[in-house]
Amino acid sequence: MNRRRPVGGRAYAERLQATNESYQRVGQTISDNQMEQLQKQMETFRANLETFARLHRKDIQKDPVFRMHFQKMCGNIGVDPLASSKGYWGELLGVGDFYYELGIQIIDVCLSTRALNGGLMELSEVKRRVERMRGVRNPSPTQNHGNSGSKWANAFSAATSSNSQSKENTNMEITEDDVLRSVKTLAPLGSGFQVLQIGDKKMISSVPRELNRDQSVILGLVQKTNGHVNVNIVREKLGWETGRTTTALNTLLEDSLMWIDQQAEPYEYWVPGFFEPEEDDIYARAASS
Amino acid sequence: MSLSAASSNAAQGLSQSPALASGFQFPSIHNFPPFYTLQPTASTWKNQADLWGTVVMRYFRHHRLYQLDLDDANTTNEQLFHNQRINRRLKPETIQAIVDEMVKKGDAEWDPTSRKRKAIILWRKPEEWATFISTWVFESGLNNTIMTYYEIAHGDNAEDQEFYNIHPTVLQKTMDVLVKRGVATTFQGANFEEMGVKFFNAGA
């Protein structure tokens, strides 16, 4: 009927405008309400979290398990209180300082052992040394990989830990999770600090590098062969021919990640990444076995 | 420093880091087999040489030794450079390379006539010895009198001092420092031990 009536008649246009405006008004009201509600919720939440954090500040600082749970909770809602010591959360909790301090200790541990291990160290070993630096008397062996923990670390803890695990030390205890978080916060320094998955272990690398596949596989294998390999062992375990093995081993030597023992037949290639300078005698143990 | 040191280690077994009979304890890298092979990677070798240098300095300091002699099949060489427990031994060339690195750092000096077979290990610098000796002289009221080198190195008064039995070469270097500092003057003697030294008054 009115099909041919030109669209956009004045009345129509006005009505359309009015409708739009009213929609907008309603929409505005709704979103205002929602925003207000959200803001109220946020405030409540923030107040609660603040109270919670105040109440538990000590626990967050000192209890590694509690800290991890708190981290997870904050992570779930998109808050990262540990990102820096400067922000609101950092000031409130002092937790940024915690990771800052831990970061310095990790750098210290990694640099002081770099001469020996070429800047690659097992996570559990980094943790153990940092704990010793923090005055934990009986650093416990790795928590996350209790069973697969290195022979070296286990041998060490067996040798040094008295029967009773003292509870007084808990205030300085840290978890591997803390170390990993802290290493991530070091990344922006551009110094090459990173976590590498090698075999079934996490390793902290303090030198900018990329391991190729063969190198990673060899380092993974060495974890199961008491820290050293030769071409025969690699052939037996991985089925590689000598050329491929030698290439991989030589590049690991060049990267300072391995040391060669030419008084063994065939030559033995060692990873000193687990080396413990003063207190234990792990290398004699391994060599005599 | 007897020969029994090595055997008492063996008796101790592998359960603990062994200390020598002298009380000296090697760091555990001394039991790391590749430590006895000159590492082909330059940066690794540098670290290895540093570590060996530290071990040598500690060993020499602990035992108050001064001279390293590659041709002497003595306890020192056997304990330091030969690890019986893991059946590894440093080659003489590798020891020379290690001492070369120590020389670069001022931690050792080759005996110039020995063709790199003998070296003095400077686990204290002559400057440090100079301070020790002059302090001792003034505290003992021996300044303003002429003493012989022998009295300093082997005299009864010096028996409890760290520089007791100091090596002649090191003592001469120390005296050179003292003269240069204007603290003392030396006098020629018939032989090295009869060389004389007089420390000036503190205020003079």
Side-chain angles (χ1 to χ4, degrees):
Chain A
M1 310 4 134
N2 285 338
R3 272 164 100 179
R4 310 204 55 169
R5 182 181 166 189
V7 185
R10 211 186 154 97
Y12 176 76
E14 278 170 6
R15 204 166 62 233
L16 198 61
Q17 174 114 23
T19 313
N20 276 346
E21 276 169 11
S22 68
Y23 272 133
Q24 269 171 9
R25 264 199 308 280
V26 175
Q28 190 65 45
T29 317
I30 291 174
S31 64
D32 280 354
N33 284 344
Q34 276 180 339
M35 272 309 287
E36 209 174 306
Q37 266 188 331
L38 263 177
Q39 262 165 357
K40 265 186 198 154
Q41 280 178 355
M42 275 306 290
E43 257 159 48
T44 314
F45 170 73
R46 191 171 128 147
N48 283 342
L49 196 56
E50 200 177 307
T51 315
F52 179 87
R54 277 227 179 84
L55 275 173
H56 296 286
R57 178 179 167 146
K58 264 194 183 153
D59 294 321
I60 292 167
Q61 290 264 15
K62 295 189 172 172
D63 182 345
V65 179
F66 193 91
R67 185 165 57 243
M68 194 172 67
H69 286 307
F70 180 73
Q71 270 287 338
K72 273 193 184 146
M73 185 178 82
C74 291
N76 286 340
I77 53 172
V79 178
D80 187 1
L82 310 183
S84 95
S85 60
K86 287 263 161 63
Y88 169 77
W89 287 103
E91 276 163 31
L92 178 66
L93 295 169
V95 274
D97 289 339
F98 171 86
Y99 281 91
Y100 176 72
E101 183 191 319
L102 183 56
I104 301 286
Q105 288 163 339
I106 291 170
I107 290 175
D108 196 346
V109 162
C110 289
L111 294 196
S112 66
T113 55
R114 192 189 271 176
L116 215 53
N117 57 33
L120 191 64
M121 197 173 205
E122 206 192 320
L123 170 61
S124 59
E125 180 64 12
V126 174
K127 170 179 172 275
R128 199 177 61 71
R129 282 163 174 273
V130 167
E131 283 188 323
R132 203 170 63 212
M133 194 181 280
R134 296 165 73 87
V136 179
R137 263 176 300 168
N138 290 326
S140 54
T142 162
Q143 288 185 349
N144 295 354
H145 324 255
N147 295 326
S148 62
S150 78
K151 165 190 157 85
W152 320 76
N154 288 343
F156 176 80
S157 70
T160 54
S161 63
S162 50
N163 292 335
S164 62
Q165 278 274 341
S166 165
K167 272 291 163 197
E168 299 157 31
N169 298 326
T170 47
N171 58 343
M172 293 314 265
E173 257 179 46
I174 51 169
T175 61
E176 295 191 351
D177 183 67
D178 288 328
V179 176
L180 291 176
R181 270 176 203 285
S182 202
V183 168
K184 275 178 203 151
T185 66
L186 295 176
L189 295 177
S191 51
F193 274 85
Q194 57 177 326
V195 182
L196 299 176
Q197 181 76 40
I198 291 168
D200 51 10
K201 290 198 170 66
K202 286 195 168 61
M203 315 272 296
I204 308 295
S205 171
S206 58
V207 173
R209 78 171 95 244
E210 267 183 67
L211 294 173
N212 69 35
R213 209 187 116 65
D214 280 7
Q215 288 179 314
S216 294
V217 171
I218 296 254
L219 290 174
L221 173 63
V222 171
Q223 291 167 2
K224 296 174 191 128
T225 55
N226 297 334
H228 57 108
V229 289
N230 59 39
V231 286
N232 292 345
I233 292 175
V234 176
R235 186 183 305 117
E236 186 189 317
K237 303 277 183 191
L238 301 175
W240 295 3
E241 18 71 60
T242 307
R244 181 180 180 186
T245 307
T246 311
T247 304
L249 290 172
N250 282 339
T251 57
L252 286 164
L253 283 182
E254 283 161 20
D255 286 351
S256 302
L257 291 173
M258 286 190 130
W259 289 43
I260 190 170
D261 174 14
Q262 294 175 336
Q263 290 173 49
E265 179 54 42
Y267 292 171
E268 291 278 352
Y269 295 76
W270 288 73
V271 175
F274 307 108
F275 186 71
E276 173 58 41
E278 295 312 318
E279 304 173 3
D280 63 21
D281 207 13
I282 48 183
Y283 283 96
R285 239 177 261 259
S288 64
S289 62
Chain B
M1 269 239 298
S2 64
L3 283 166
S4 67
S7 57
S8 73
N9 285 344
Q12 252 182 324
L14 299 173
S15 56
Q16 277 230 313
S17 280
L20 302 180
S22 64
F24 183 75
Q25 183 137 29
F26 280 112
S28 60
I29 195 165
H30 199 253
N31 290 321
F32 185 48
F35 201 40
Y36 295 82
T37 296
L38 197 157
Q39 294 301 311
T41 302
S43 61
T44 309
W45 156 246
K46 196 199 161 294
N47 292 323
Q48 181 187 18
D50 280 353
L51 286 164
W52 263 116
T54 305
V55 174
V56 169
M57 296 272 273
R58 282 194 198 167
Y59 184 95
F60 272 64
R61 177 194 288 248
H62 183 94
H63 297 99
R64 304 263 177 99
L65 298 172
Y66 296 90
Q67 185 169 263
L68 179 67
D69 184 350
L70 294 189
D71 296 314
D72 190 353
N74 57 17
T75 318
T76 299
N77 290 346
E78 274 304 294
Q79 286 184 341
L80 254 179
F81 304 127
H82 179 199
N83 190 328
Q84 296 183 6
R85 300 169 71 206
I86 59 170
N87 192 26
R88 292 291 179 273
R89 185 192 284 280
L90 274 184
K91 290 182 188 163
E93 325 61 292
T94 312
I95 301 176
Q96 284 171 334
I98 289 164
V99 175
D100 278 338
E101 292 302 314
M102 294 178 74
V103 169
K104 280 186 205 162
K105 291 199 289 180
D107 290 342
E109 269 179 32
W110 286 113
D111 177 338
T113 62
S114 74
R115 298 174 160 220
K116 294 200 176 181
R117 304 303 292 183
K118 289 192 180 79
I120 297 293
I121 306 300
L122 298 168
W123 44 272
R124 269 196 201 294
K125 302 280 168 286
E127 289 75 16
E128 287 179 90
W129 286 125
T131 305
F132 284 164
I133 290 177
S134 60
T135 304
W136 169 75
V137 164
F138 284 105
E139 281 178 2
S140 318
L142 292 167
N143 48 319
N144 252 343
T145 55
I146 298 179
M147 287 182 292
T148 60
Y149 281 13
Y150 182 88
E151 285 175 281
I152 292 174
H154 311 289
D156 293 345
N157 285 329
E159 213 166 348
D160 56 346
Q161 297 297 311
E162 195 179 7
F163 52 80
Y164 191 69
N165 285 337
I166 192 169
H167 190 277
T169 306
V170 184
L171 182 57
Q172 186 56 59
K173 284 178 175 300
T174 303
M175 290 307 166
D176 293 345
V177 171
L178 287 165
V179 170
K180 212 172 165 188
R181 282 185 188 171
V183 181
T185 184
T186 53
F187 305 92
Q188 285 300 321
N191 55 40
F192 183 79
E193 293 190 328
E194 284 173 23
M195 294 273 290
V197 59
K198 187 173 106 175
F199 286 77
F200 305 121
N201 271 329

